[in-house]
Structures are given as structure tokens and as C-alpha cells.
Amino acid sequence: MLDWVNIAVPPAPALFGQLLIGLINGAFYAMLSLGLAVIFGLLNIINFAHGALYMLGAFCAYLLLNFFGIGYWPSLIIAPIVVGAFGMALERLFIRHVYKLDHLYGLLLTFGMALIIEGLFRQKYGVAGQTYSIPEALSGGQNLGFMFLPNYRAWVIVASTFFCFGTWFIIERTRLGAYLRAATENPVLVQAFGINVPRMITLTYGFGVGLAALAGVMAAPIYQVSPLMGSNLIIVVFAVVVIGGMGSILGAIVSGFALGVIEGLTKVFYPEASATAIFAIMVVVLLVKPAGLFGRRA
Amino acid sequence: MKLHSLITAASVAVLLGAVYAPGAYADGKTVKIGVLNDMSSVYSYLGGMGSVAAAQMAVKDFGGKVLGKPIEIVYADHQNKPDVGVAIASKWFDEDGVDAILDLPTSSVAIAVQKVAQDRGKVDIISNGGSSELTNKYCSPTGVHWTYDTYQLAHVIGGAVVKQGGKSWFFITADYAFGHQLQDDTAAVVKAAGGTIVGSVNVPLNNADFSSFLLQAQQSKAQIIGLANAGGDTVNSIKQASEFGIVQGGQRLAGLLVFIADVDALGLKTAQGLLLSESYYWDQNDQTRAFAKKFEAAYNGKVPTSGQAGVYTAVMHYLKAMEAAKTEDGAKVVAQMRAMPINDFMTKNGKLRIDGRVIRDVYLFQVKKPEESKYPYDYYKQLAVVPGDQAFRPLSESECPLVKK
């Protein structure tokens, strides 16, 4: 009974705090859905291995620290490169064979890969999470008056905003991005202009995977580094991408942040529904605007 | 994206996780003990294959034979799903000649399997499952609740915290049977001791980010934030509480169900100061250490959890009772288990009550500071021993129909 009185209307400062936390969680959604959107938009692959690759990023940071003594900051660069290279190998060896087939094949292939990767890590590390500490420079936090903001979370939001809009800028506003977009429209024609399209596609996949790994490294100090961390997140991220519009870069970013905030508010007003709120929104969006909020009709 | 693609993927996932229970044959020439638990998901590190190893150790230490028959251990993964657990248990009892099922983490599965065992007059001994309803509303004449339960956790930890001055509580609760029960049990203790509950929040199971809930707890100004959750949820909430400066802000956390594996996952720096209640900790005396050493040798150098130690001691007591009763009949063996006092490395003069509850002394521990820890897994400081008759629900409060009043 008492609980109802408590959650009825939180005071305004409390709400600011929750909005900010929503934005931080949204930052993770945005980074992951962005990678998915890039891969889908340019490769036409529904990359179900994305969650496993995010997990690999976190584990990569963990292993770098425990076996080589390499800390958080170098890991931010090394882990995405290592995992990205692994992703490119997967693309070369397996994924490129299903480009011409129905989406379903790519989905099943990457889903299978995810199961294998997660299974291997579960075998080795079990499901209890490994610890990864917050880097010294970012420990502690600021008292903002309405809430205590840990420095690390502030860093997450700044960094991910930077990476998200950087990616958007490269793809939508630079010559390289123009090549990429052209190659997905008409690969034969672009190849005729002397551009190595298969290599560009491999690099794009590697880039998308690298983004997932980067999100994994950033998540490592907050959550447990666990083989299941990706599969817990991937379904939500897919919902985010569907809401934003499959393949839409800007849609992925905006809906990532927005849904983080909406989920955050659900956690205040009706926490029991916080795990389902995003899916309810997805249903509504699919009914009203099947291509997603920012999607173009295929 | 095509929606049916997602549906296909989901069905594939379900198919891949289909029931798998490795071979066992009913021949009446062996005594079979089944270890049924979570082998692959959130609770597998508390029991999992470690519980199987513990059961096998017990069989070996018992001599490998009972009533002149060899003893066989079988095991399976119930995936934390009651329907899967019921399917495996039924097959084991009906076709494979299994005599007893052990471990059973995840209360919803334990409740369902206990019913299956009861209907067939077979034995179930719950080690990692927690709900105190297993020996209350759902008690069974052939069901045994061995290691711990929510009533005990609530009384030992709730009582100790209120005694130390933690009068106002806010609960972060896992939104399913176990979490609600743990919250209710603890709230009752807090109120009885003169404390107040200022609020609570129900969090979906397997939630990764607790910051929003922690912020609500922070704003409630409660002295104590009670974590009525388990496993990864507990670890994540404690880890993030430290990030959000909850403890520095003057509030304290009470983890109502914390195992040594959770402390290991958190690290002492984050977990220090936590209060917890267990019925076994490896570093209590020479006997507990001897078991831990043997277990580590048998199971990848991992320290045993109380649930795994419980599986070992439960198998031992079960086999001793069977030998004494000279029968495999479930009801008779359990009656014999009740008649015999329980004495082993984790229990001194324990007894099995009519409602299925094992009564033994339990311990209140506090997690050490990093500088106090001298060797690997040196994690706990013992604060108090709580006698069994004070820790567990008294029969006078029981709703179990087997209890005659």
C-alpha cells in the first residue's frame, strides 16, 4: 500500500535524475542499434551475432587487463580493432555467402554464430560475471543537486554521443559514406568506377562489429562481464532498430536515446512493465508505420 | 524487417533448448539419485555441475553401494522452467527408476517437482531452492528442504540489521514468487522489531541496469536498502549501488540472498561490509575446510557454495537412512531421515522436522574488507550463530497440513 503513495508522483528533481539515467541507458542502445543499422543498411544482413560481439568486446577488455595488464583506455581502442578483425574474418568466411539469399538465411547464420560464441565463453567462464573496475580517472561522481551522477556514466553519455554522430556524419556527409551508400544501391555500377566493393563491405561489417565491441568495453565496468550479457540486450536493441526503421542511421541513434528515456520513466511510474515497454512501443510503431519512424519504404 | 524471421529465430532457440536427460535405465538393481538443477543459466554457478560433483563425492565416500546395490548419479538441466522440470522428474521416476531428486534451485521448479515426487511416494531434497512455502503450504511427506529458506534469510539478516539500528527500509525486489516472498518475510521481521518500510520497487527478473531503482531507493531516504533478489540481479544491484555512492551517502545495503560465488563475482572492494546468512562457509573449521579442499580437487578448483555442500550432506544422510531403514521406499526412508539426527561438517545435531524443514544452526556473516582478506576465498567474518529453532519458521506458525496441532 505504502509503495503506491511513493511512486504516485515523484518530485521534479527526482524526475530529472531518472531522465538522465534514461539517456545513459539510451546511449548503449544507440551505440548497439547504430552498428546493427549500418550493417543492415549497407550489407542487408540482420546481424543476430551483434549481442555476442558486444560480449566479446567486454571480454576482450577483461582478458587484456588480466593477461597483459592493459587497462581501460588502451582497451577502448584495442578491443574494437581485435573484435572488428574477428568480425571481418566471419564476414569473409561465412556471411558473404548469404548476401544473395533471403534475409532469413543471414539471420539464422548469425544467430547460430552467436550461440556458438556464447556457448564457448559459457563453457570457459560459466555464467557468473567477471569483475572489471571503473578506471581510476573516472571513479567517484558529481552531486548535481537533484542526483548523484557517477563520473563514469557521464563519460559514457559523452563518448557514445560522439561516436554515434561521428558515424552518422561519415556515412551521410562524406565521400566515403557516399561510396558506401552507392555500393548498396548498385554494386556493379560502383565496381565499374574502380571501387573494390567486396572489400568495402567487409570493412563496413568490421566497423559495425567494432562499434558493438566498443559498447562492450564501455559496458564492462558497469555490468558484469558475462557470456550472457549480449543475449540479454540484443532483443531490446532489435526492437530499437525496428522502431527507428531498419537501416536508418539517424533513426537508430534517435530511437536509441529516446527509448532509453521512455524505459527510464517506466521504471519510475510502473517498474514492473519496464522490461516490456519498448516492445509495446514496437508493436504500435509497426502497426502505424511499418517501416519504422525514420525508415524508407523498401 | 520481417517479423516472422524473429519468430523463426525464437522457435529455433526453444528447440535447441529441448529437454535432454542423459541415459538411465530402470532395472531395480541400482539405487539412482538424480541431480536436477540449472546447468546453463543464471543460477548454474550456485549448483550446476558442481552439485553433481558433490553428489558423486558423497556416493564415493559412502562406499558406492547401499543395500548391496551400486549407487548411480544421473543429472539434467531444468532450465529454470517448471514444465521442463516436471517432464524430466516424471520420466526419471516413471521410466528410469530414479529414487530421489536433489538440488532443485528456482522455487517455482522446486514446488512443481516436489508435487511430482509426492504423488509417486518418491523423495525430493531441495538444496538450492529457497521459498519457505516448500515446507509450509506446499509441504510433502517425502519432501525435504535441506540448506536454507527465505524465512531464515529474512529473520537472520533482517533481525540483525534492525538490531544494529537499521529501522527504515526500502526494498528492491525481483518481480516473481521468490522475490515477493523474501520481501514479505523480511518486512514482517522489520515491522515486528519496530522498523518501518518506506517503499519498494518490483524489478523484472534478469534486469541489467539498476540505476533507476537505486535512485528511487536513494530518494526514499531509507536507512537500509533491502535487496530481495538473487544471482546476477543481486550482483548488478550491489555493483551499481557502489557506483552511485549509495553507501557513502549514508545508506546501507542488505543483500537478503548472497552466496560466496556472488561475493567472488563482486570482488571484496565492492562487496565489503555486506551482511549475509549461510548455513555453510568453507573456512569455519577443519571439517568445513577439509570438504572444501576435496571439492576443489574434484571440481576445477572452485570453492563449494552452501548449496553444493548441502547436496553432499543431503546425499549422505539419505543413503545412511536408506541403509538403516533397509528399504528404498520413499516414505520409509524419509521417516528414517527424521528419526536420525543430522551430523556432518555443516550440521551439528540437526533434525528433519515433520514439515520437511531441516533445522540446524545458521550463521550471520559479514564480508571482509580487502585488507582483511589474507588468502584466496578468505571472504567472511562470522558475526553470530543463530540457533536453528530461532532461524526457521516455528511449527506453531506452520500452515503445513502434516503438522498436527
Side-chain angles (χ1 to χ4, degrees):
Chain A
M1 284 184 300
L2 259 177
D3 345 349
W4 285 104
V5 183
N6 253 315
I7 57 170
V9 180
L15 219 48
F16 286 144
Q18 298 292 353
L19 285 172
L20 192 56
I21 282 179
L23 269 183
I24 296 166
N25 289 337
F28 280 108
Y29 292 156
M31 293 245 317
L32 283 168
S33 54
L34 176 63
L36 275 181
V38 169
I39 292 170
F40 182 78
L42 302 178
L43 279 75
N44 254 334
I45 287 286
I46 299 169
N47 189 27
F48 242 90
H50 217 65
L53 295 162
Y54 158 80
M55 180 272 286
L56 274 185
F59 260 101
C60 193
Y62 168 80
L63 295 174
L64 282 171
L65 181 70
N66 287 287
F67 286 98
F68 305 102
I70 295 172
Y72 177 82
W73 299 108
S75 291
L76 267 185
I77 300 162
I78 299 172
I81 292 174
V82 171
V83 180
F86 174 71
M88 285 192 269
L90 288 183
E91 194 274 341
R92 279 288 83 187
L93 290 171
F94 304 106
I95 299 173
R96 71 187 170 100
H97 299 291
V98 299
Y99 287 146
K100 299 225 158 47
L101 304 172
D102 188 86
H103 289 328
L104 195 53
Y105 292 89
L107 185 150
L108 286 174
L109 175 67
T110 51
F111 184 58
M113 286 174 176
L115 288 179
I116 292 170
I117 296 170
E118 281 175 3
L120 287 174
F121 273 78
R122 204 154 67 180
Q123 183 67 23
K124 181 85 180 92
Y125 293 98
V127 293
Q130 316 291 326
T131 36
Y132 190 92
S133 310
I134 290 176
E136 219 38 61
L138 292 175
S139 61
Q142 308 299 326
N143 197 339
L144 302 182
F146 57 90
M147 74 172 287
F148 179 89
L149 177 66
N151 288 338
Y152 187 79
R153 302 258 175 168
W155 150 252
V156 164
I157 199 166
V158 171
S160 60
T161 311
F162 172 78
F163 288 120
C164 286
F165 285 95
T167 306
W168 172 81
F169 186 82
I170 291 173
I171 291 177
E172 301 287 346
R173 291 286 181 273
T174 64
R175 178 165 293 244
L176 177 67
Y179 287 154
L180 278 172
R181 283 176 288 132
T184 48
E185 289 292 324
N186 194 334
V188 179
L189 196 64
V190 176
Q191 201 139 20
F193 283 115
I195 290 166
N196 187 338
V197 171
R199 178 181 299 164
M200 203 157 74
I201 286 181
T202 306
L203 287 172
T204 308
Y205 188 77
F207 178 75
V209 169
L211 273 178
L214 184 66
V217 179
M218 298 215 307
I222 304 185
Y223 307 128
Q224 297 180 78
V225 179
S226 132
L228 300 178
M229 65 192 289
S231 53
N232 292 342
L233 197 60
I234 188 71
I235 302 294
V236 176
V237 173
F238 263 104
V240 171
V241 176
V242 170
I243 293 168
M246 274 314 269
S248 162
I249 308 289
L250 197 61
I253 300 173
V254 173
S255 59
F257 280 102
L259 289 165
V261 170
I262 291 172
E263 193 189 49
L265 291 178
T266 327
K267 284 178 174 171
V268 182
F269 292 107
Y270 192 61
E272 287 86 343
S274 59
T276 27
I278 287 183
F279 300 101
I281 295 170
M282 180 179 88
V283 169
V284 174
V285 169
L286 281 177
L287 287 175
V288 177
K289 219 167 172 290
L293 295 178
F294 294 79
R296 283 161 294 194
R297 266 263 46 118
Chain B
M1 168 182 181
K2 289 173 193 156
L3 203 61
H4 74 246
S5 312
L6 267 177
I7 295 166
T8 311
S11 348
V12 169
V14 171
L15 281 177
L16 284 170
V19 180
Y20 169 69
Y25 307 95
D27 52 12
K29 290 186 187 132
T30 52
V31 168
K32 279 182 191 142
I33 298 173
V35 176
L36 183 56
N37 63 18
D38 176 0
M39 298 269 173
S40 54
S41 169
V42 282
Y43 299 138
S44 58
Y45 67 106
L46 302 174
M49 284 307 289
S51 289
V52 177
Q56 280 162 343
M57 277 168 67
V59 169
K60 196 170 152 218
D61 292 350
F62 191 77
K65 278 188 167 186
V66 63
L67 305 175
K69 297 175 184 175
I71 309 160
E72 189 188 339
I73 300 287
V74 295
Y75 56 89
D77 184 356
H78 66 39
Q79 303 169 34
N80 302 322
K81 293 173 189 153
D83 53 330
V84 176
V86 165
I88 295 171
S90 309
K91 179 172 179 293
W92 272 358
F93 287 141
D94 298 343
E95 295 171 29
D96 301 340
V98 168
D99 298 284
I101 294 183
L102 273 90
D103 206 11
L104 297 167
T106 316
S107 298
S108 48
V109 185
I111 290 169
V113 171
Q114 176 146 300
K115 184 84 179 77
V116 172
Q118 182 182 354
D119 290 347
R120 291 161 175 76
K122 299 281 190 179
V123 180
D124 67 284
I125 307 177
I126 294 141
S127 184
N128 264 313
S131 170
S132 61
E133 288 301 307
L134 282 159
T135 53
N136 197 35
K137 213 173 2 182
Y138 303 114
C139 72
S140 149
T142 52
V144 177
H145 202 176
W146 191 264
T147 308
Y148 74 99
D149 70 25
T150 51
Y151 186 97
Q152 162 233 329
L153 296 171
H155 278 73
V156 174
I157 304 166
V161 171
V162 178
K163 213 178 281 172
Q164 290 178 356
K167 294 279 185 198
S168 61
W169 285 60
F170 184 98
F171 286 101
I172 295 181
T173 304
D175 194 13
Y176 72 113
F178 160 81
H180 292 297
Q181 178 126 40
L182 193 49
Q183 179 187 332
D184 291 348
D185 285 354
T186 313
V189 175
V190 170
K191 283 182 198 153
T196 52
I197 312 300
V198 299
S200 71
V201 56
N202 292 330
V203 181
L205 181 62
N206 228 341
N207 179 67
D209 194 82
F210 282 82
S211 46
S212 173
F213 308 118
L214 289 165
L215 209 61
Q216 294 176 42
Q218 211 164 23
Q219 277 148 359
S220 77
K221 305 267 192 296
Q223 290 167 303
I224 304 294
I225 300 171
L227 305 173
N229 49 20
D233 282 342
T234 307
V235 172
N236 270 334
S237 36
I238 295 173
K239 195 170 172 185
Q240 290 163 22
S242 113
E243 197 192 342
F244 277 84
I246 297 269
V247 178
Q248 292 90 313
Q251 288 174 306
R252 281 175 52 208
L253 295 174
L256 297 172
L257 180 54
V258 179
F259 292 100
I260 192 157
D262 298 321
V263 174
D264 196 44
L266 281 165
L268 289 184
K269 190 164 166 250
T270 313
Q272 58 179 309
L274 263 185
L275 293 175
L276 54 99
S277 171
E278 292 219 64
S279 42
Y280 166 83
Y281 167 54
W282 73 274
D283 202 12
Q284 288 174 289
N285 55 51
D286 287 342
Q287 282 175 291
T288 57
R289 279 187 287 269
F291 173 72
K293 209 167 165 194
K294 225 161 51 171
F295 183 86
E296 282 174 35
Y299 189 58
N300 310 333
K302 291 212 175 95
V303 75
T305 62
S306 54
Q308 290 158 341
V311 168
Y312 176 94
T313 52
V315 170
M316 273 298 193
H317 192 65
Y318 172 72
L319 291 174
K320 278 182 201 160
M322 187 181 279
E323 193 78 50
K326 300 191 173 46
T327 172
E328 285 179 54
D329 181 82
K332 286 181 187 149
V333 175
V334 174
Q336 183 64 37
M337 287 171 78
R338 283 197 201 102
M340 292 173 15
I342 305 168
N343 272 304
D344 51 51
F345 62 82
M346 63 185 273
T347 315
K348 295 285 160 287
N349 288 320
K351 63 168 195 287
L352 173 58
R353 261 184 352 198
I354 182 73
D355 58 348
R357 180 65 251 169
V358 168
I359 305 299
R360 74 161 73 72
D361 296 351
V362 295
Y363 307 93
L364 177 68
F365 296 110
Q366 184 166 33
V367 177
K368 288 184 172 178
K369 297 194 178 86
E371 62 269 21
E372 292 170 326
S373 174
K374 303 279 181 271
Y375 37 86
Y377 294 111
D378 179 17
Y379 289 164
Y380 295 174
K381 220 167 17 200
Q382 187 172 312
L383 298 187
V385 183
V386 183
D389 52 1
Q390 292 171 28
F392 294 96
R393 176 189 280 118
L395 285 179
S396 57
E397 288 175 23
S398 178
E399 290 172 38
C400 169
L402 300 169
V403 178
K404 294 201 178 61
K405 289 186 185 160

